[in-house]
Amino acid sequence: MPFSHLGLSAKVLTAIEAAGYKTPTPIQAQAIPHVLARRDVLGIAQTGTGKTAAFVLPMLTMLEQGRARARMPRTLILEPTRELAAQVAEQFEKYGKNSKLNVALLIGGVSFGDQDSKLLRGVDVLIATPGRLLDHSERGRLLLSGCELLIIDEADRMLDMGFIPDIERIGKLVPFTRQTLFFTATMPPEIQRIADTFLHNPVRVEVSRPATAATTITQLQVSTGRDPAEKRETLRRLLRSADNFKNAIIFCNRKREVALLHRSLVRHKFNAVALHGDLDQPARMAALDAFRKGEATLLIASDVAARGLDIPDVSHIFNFDVPHHPDDYVHRIGRTGRAGKSGTAITIVAPADGKAVAAIEKLTGQPIPAMAAAAPREPQENHAPAYGERSERHHRGERQPQRRPSVADAQRTPAPRPRPARELVTEDADGSHLPAFLLRPVRLKA
Ligand code: AMP
């Protein structure tokens, strides 16, 4: 079905054409006519399916009628993270060029004053994270009694992040008669309960994952000492010897560790950016942007900072710390090996991590094979720039000379690694959006 059959306005159709989209994705084709008919929609779809446009496009069409009033937003979109909220705002900018709508972002890390003056001017679309929205509402800066449309996006992420009580409070501030669109990638019982309380006679729209090709993620673990400096050295060695490397996300358990590791990798001339909760919003967006564009090849992140982000497929995942919760492991490694490509996930294991690794292996039903020991010493000088690493010449804007391998190089070359004993093969294109308990049975490939 072409876009022109969905009931979207002429302005929106022009914007779609300008964006270069030829046909609606399945979630768009199924959801848009119901949204325009003012029905509540329960959308089961994850990032990558085109679900954002499935609500942004009909919203733009509906908002062409009517005007915003001061402090009373007409529509409200709730997102679990600042980055997701910002990504949705970008889509309004992209498709709404001809619409002159006032879009406001209420997210942490942006000054209250600026947000407040926007609210005062009247807002057609308010995109918010739950905490910041409640802050404004409790200060009396915001009235949700004029909200005609409520969108709860990534509801299962909201649950993971403990936002459900906030969402329920917000639900009481918007009129009972509003229309509600509720999106989630998965449907655990708690999400079903929330959906039942928020939606009235909803249309259920469910789409399969974006790609059906089997995904292959090679998992490996590497032992290291407990000393953080030793862990960092192990990581650098792994980065320098990684096969088929394109780019990587390196996960740490704590934001402090993210910042520390980032500084260390940059000092060692790796091309790295970091994402953690203490960075201000522009810094987070800049980091993500640099990684998406390939200007940075390493992204260091905590679980919370990376959650729900639309990050392109990466070739490698490194777990600098073994995650405390085995579900986080599944989310982390699902960031690689998407859409039928192969990916590698390497976990650095310190002596105290035995229990956490055992919990992961129990959950996935897979042992994580040990990687053969890498070379004992890392190169100190004159080594060829490795993956994700910037050379001094690069910094000076010079071209890289071709270097012939030397004997010293040969000595520094890490011992050849055996092929991993076996590979985890999942049928899902994107394990990052699957809570562990819903992980499909895995097939073992010899
Ligand atoms: P989302 O699932 O909303 O995160 O969207 C995933 C990506 O698909 C985004 O980069 C969109 O710009 C893109 N997209 C959305 N709708 C379409 C479409 N109908 N055709 C092609 N690409 C699309």
Side-chain angles (χ1 to χ4, degrees), residues 3 21 23-25 28 46-53 91 94-95 310:
F3 273 113
Y21 299 153
T23 45
T25 64
Q28 292 163 3
Q46 63 178 36
T47 307
T49 54
K51 73 167 163 69
T52 315
Q91 297 228 10
K94 180 168 160 186
Y95 305 118
D310 180 18

Side-chain angles (χ1 to χ4, degrees), residues 33 54 58 83 93-94 102 108 134 178 233 238 322 328 340 346 350 367 406 412 415 435:
E83 282 78 13
E93 231 166 78
K94 180 168 160 186
N102 290 330
L134 284 170
R178 91 244 156 198
E233 191 185 317
L238 291 168
V322 180
D328 283 334
I346 303 178
S406 64
R412 283 196 289 259

Side-chain angles (χ1 to χ4, degrees), residues 236-252:
R236 291 194 295 273
R237 226 164 35 218
L238 291 168
L239 286 168
R240 289 182 174 122
S241 60
D243 287 333
N244 300 320
F245 184 95
K246 185 176 141 249
N247 55 359
I249 306 177
I250 302 167
F251 282 99
C252 302

